[in-house]
Amino acid sequence: MVYVIKVGGNVIDNPELLQAFLKDFAAIPGKKILIHGGGKIATRIGDKLGIVSNYVDGRRITDAETIDVVTMVYGGLVNKQLVAKLQANGCNAIGITGADANIIPAVKRPVKTIDYGFVGDVDAGKVNGGPLQAMLEAGLTPVFAPLTHDGQGQMLNTNADTIASALAIALSAHYPVRLIYCFEKKGVLKDAADDNAVINLINREIYQQLLEEKILTAGILPKLENAFAAIESGVKEVLIGHAEDVIRNTTPSVAGTLIR
């Protein structure tokens, strides 16, 4: 089993949570990959440089100045700090972006009603899994920044959840894969106000029932759609759960929501 694990920006932004998560991640045996979000660090550094962050519906507009900032911060500062911390925990990590070894080519998002700027859309079928497989077989743990490239020399800011799903799909041709989304909730909840109301297993049938009963909040729907898209493309299992439960969520007895 290969574990493709995405950790959200809320953990990246909290030094204590991050330290605990990386210690747990390093302790997971076998082949694994980490994909990290950017957190608020790019915004803070952009502010210091006089580059104002603009968002539409919670999504960053990545103009020419902003792509330079996120490339520096996500691909440099955040990524290499994570790699160094993993090395300190005995995990032989290697930090990369989607441009390295041409692993994740992408296309600049077409302008419709909103111009998101230098944002990349990924086709999972075009991900190059060969270099990734070689790294895993060499005993390395790839750590991906949320960046891709267009093949013409342009870096692109790309959603970390999407990158995680695309990498999991590419690796599923060679390994059984469990894709794990780590965030601030314990899993998919029956009641958004009750952190312990975790739904432990969801399949397509249960998902349709939850939709009909309008139990799910809007925020979790994109993660579930990504999850089922990954499963339908060959990923064995997807797990949505709390970052603190990452070790348990690599075992058969999960604390979060397992999607099959």
Side-chain angles (χ1 to χ4, degrees):
M1 180 76 77
V2 171
Y3 300 105
V4 177
I5 300 174
K6 185 262 178 176
V7 62
N10 59 305
V11 177
I12 301 294
D13 289 330
N14 186 313
E16 291 181 3
L17 283 179
L18 180 61
Q19 183 175 352
F21 172 82
L22 293 175
K23 182 179 179 180
D24 287 345
F25 178 86
I28 296 167
K31 297 178 176 64
K32 59 202 173 190
I33 294 173
L34 181 64
I35 302 94
H36 62 84
K40 297 174 183 174
I41 302 169
T43 300
R44 290 200 297 269
I45 290 180
D47 289 344
K48 290 179 182 178
L49 296 172
I51 298 168
V52 178
S53 297
N54 294 313
Y55 294 86
V56 174
D57 296 331
R59 294 182 179 181
R60 186 189 292 272
I61 303 296
T62 308
D63 59 19
E65 287 186 319
T66 304
I67 189 62
D68 287 348
V69 172
V70 298
T71 300
M72 288 188 292
V73 175
Y74 298 167
L77 180 64
V78 175
N79 187 265
K80 299 313 174 190
Q81 285 182 340
L82 294 181
V83 168
K85 288 180 170 69
L86 285 171
Q87 294 289 357
N89 281 287
C91 176
N92 196 11
I94 179 169
I96 49 181
T97 72
D100 296 293
N102 191 32
I103 292 174
I104 314 176
V107 295
K108 184 174 177 289
R109 182 169 297 166
V111 178
K112 295 180 182 177
T113 55
I114 299 167
D115 183 357
Y116 285 101
F118 295 102
V119 169
D121 289 332
V122 177
D123 178 351
K126 294 182 179 178
V127 172
N128 297 306
L132 203 52
Q133 188 181 8
M135 290 180 216
L136 291 170
E137 293 299 331
L140 296 170
T141 296
V143 178
F144 273 86
L147 297 163
T148 58
H149 75 127
D150 69 354
Q152 306 298 316
Q154 178 64 56
M155 294 297 290
L156 297 167
N157 187 14
T158 304
N159 181 273
D161 283 358
T162 302
I163 288 177
S165 177
L167 293 173
I169 290 167
L171 286 172
S172 68
H174 309 284
Y175 308 98
V177 175
R178 179 180 287 183
L179 169 60
I180 303 175
Y181 288 114
C182 295
F183 72 148
E184 68 278 5
K185 299 289 186 182
K186 293 183 179 180
V188 180
L189 305 177
K190 286 182 181 177
D191 179 356
D194 182 359
D195 281 349
N196 293 312
V198 177
I199 304 169
N200 293 116
L201 178 66
I202 297 178
N203 56 26
R204 268 289 183 190
E205 184 179 349
I206 294 170
Y207 181 45
Q208 289 303 321
Q209 185 178 344
L210 292 169
L211 287 176
E212 289 169 12
E213 295 174 3
K214 298 183 178 179
I215 288 173
L216 302 173
T217 59
I220 200 68
L221 294 180
K223 283 190 188 300
L224 286 168
E225 286 298 333
N226 275 339
F228 283 113
I231 287 168
E232 287 160 8
S233 297
V235 175
K236 185 176 181 183
E237 298 167 335
V238 182
L239 192 289
I240 298 174
H242 202 290
E244 293 176 354
D245 296 321
V246 66
I247 291 180
R248 181 172 170 185
N249 285 336
T250 61
T251 71
S253 176
V254 301
T257 301
L258 192 63
I259 298 157
R260 287 176 166 160

